Amino acid sequence: MAPGLYTDIGKKTRDLLYKDYNTHQKFSLTTCSPHGVAITAAGTRKNESVFGELHTQIKNKKLTVDVKANSESDLLTTITVDEFGTPGLKSILNLVVPDQRSGKLELQYLHDYAGVNASVGLNSNPMVNLSGVFGSKALSVGVDVSFDTATSNFTKYNAALSLTNPDLIASLHLNNHGDSLVASYYHLVKQHSSTAVGAELSHSFSRNESTLIFGSQHSLDPHTTIKARFNNYGMASALVQHEWRPKSFVTISGEVDTKAIEKSTKIGVSLVLKH
């Protein structure tokens, strides 16, 4: 089995601890046609500000075109070609208007024992990124490096290690030029109810600070999931997510500082409709 890409290392734990937690109000409506066209309108209310986005996706065999426009007048176009010339190779072209300097060309390659991602910015002094994972589904190591051709400096060099068993995933990341160490684990306790626990411990060597976050999830029924998390600074969060129709979800989440309960409670609601 392929080890995946660098971004896949520790993803199970990150999804458990961070995915779907929200302290704002979000709404998303998606309509799909039988010809491979999907249109999504989304809005987010954060404090007194409202942000909107319109996303159109067109799929035709191995070609996918995504066009996103938001309320800040940005237009992002992504063109993805699967099996680009050879099995396992994917090409991705990103173009942003009006900030054309942020466009980039990306190539992804998945092999039985390797996963490589390379990207280069589409400007005169591009940022070049290269990441790779080598090994198997059970044990893999990876590196992630970025080089700024304008300054001839390495802006990022990270490394990671992943160990995967049928019900346990552990990973170790060395980030921020070797300044931070992140260890995480994910344990599937009961598969039939999707009961899982996970934790992430991050340490900054320069600040001599550590953060520990622990979380869990459980499915009450095939359509309802609850999650909770807690960190060593006293921040506690919980959510309940219900799939009331296929691929349509309502999620209610809350966050509270247990050291100041009377003034810190935050509630978020997310509604995703797909037709």
Side-chain angles (χ1 to χ4, degrees):
M1 294 292 291
L5 298 173
Y6 187 87
T7 52
D8 295 327
I9 298 179
K11 186 177 184 300
K12 276 280 190 179
T13 304
R14 292 193 300 271
D15 286 348
L16 173 66
L17 297 177
Y18 302 107
K19 186 179 180 181
D20 296 322
Y21 284 101
N22 169 48
T23 56
H24 312 303
Q25 287 74 50
K26 294 184 177 182
F27 174 79
S28 173
L29 174 63
T30 300
T31 59
C32 302
S33 78
H35 304 292
V37 179
I39 300 176
T40 301
T44 301
R45 181 179 181 183
K46 183 178 180 181
N47 298 325
E48 298 301 321
S49 301
V50 178
F51 305 92
E53 182 179 85
L54 183 63
H55 175 203
T56 301
Q57 183 181 81
I58 303 173
K59 286 187 176 183
N60 184 12
K61 297 180 180 179
K62 298 179 181 180
L63 176 66
T64 302
V65 178
D66 291 275
V67 180
K68 293 181 181 180
N70 60 33
S71 54
E72 297 179 345
S73 300
D74 293 325
L75 182 65
L76 171 63
T77 302
T78 303
I79 302 172
T80 304
V81 181
D82 291 314
E83 306 294 334
F84 185 64
T86 184
L89 181 63
K90 177 188 293 186
S91 66
I92 304 171
L93 176 64
N94 290 288
L95 300 173
V96 181
V97 178
D99 186 13
Q100 299 178 4
R101 294 175 300 174
S102 60
K104 67 177 181 179
L105 177 64
E106 184 176 352
L107 292 175
Q108 294 180 359
Y109 179 67
L110 291 176
H111 185 268
D112 289 343
Y113 300 102
V116 179
N117 188 98
S119 66
V120 58
L122 301 178
N123 54 60
S124 57
N125 296 299
M127 184 76 70
V128 180
N129 180 261
L130 177 65
S131 64
V133 179
F134 306 93
S136 64
K137 188 69 174 178
L139 176 64
S140 60
V141 294
V143 293
D144 183 20
V145 179
S146 289
F147 181 75
D148 188 350
T149 60
T151 61
S152 298
N153 290 324
F154 285 96
T155 58
K156 178 176 66 175
Y157 40 89
N158 302 328
L161 171 69
S162 177
L163 176 65
T164 303
N165 288 325
D167 59 352
L168 177 66
I169 302 174
S171 65
L172 188 67
H173 283 79
L174 186 63
N175 299 328
N176 301 326
H177 297 210
D179 180 63
S180 65
L181 188 67
V182 180
S184 65
Y185 91 95
Y186 172 93
H187 178 50
L188 182 62
V189 180
K190 294 182 180 180
Q191 187 171 8
H192 69 275
S193 61
S194 299
T195 303
V197 296
E200 180 183 85
L201 174 64
S202 58
H203 178 76
S204 172
F205 295 103
S206 60
R207 298 194 307 269
N208 195 27
E209 293 179 354
S210 297
T211 301
L212 174 64
I213 180 170
F214 177 82
S216 63
Q217 73 174 24
H218 175 73
S219 294
L220 300 177
D221 57 54
H223 305 288
T224 308
T225 300
I226 57 174
K227 296 172 65 175
R229 67 181 183 185
F230 185 81
N231 68 20
N232 59 318
Y233 294 106
M235 297 300 296
S237 304
L239 70 80
V240 55
Q241 184 178 80
H242 179 68
E243 185 180 21
W244 55 281
R245 56 178 293 177
K247 298 182 180 181
S248 296
F249 301 89
V250 57
T251 305
I252 302 175
S253 57
E255 180 182 80
V256 61
D257 185 348
T258 58
K259 299 178 181 179
I261 297 179
E262 70 283 353
K263 61 179 181 180
S264 65
T265 303
K266 298 178 181 179
I267 301 295
V269 179
S270 175
L271 181 61
V272 177
L273 305 177
K274 190 165 185 178
H275 176 66

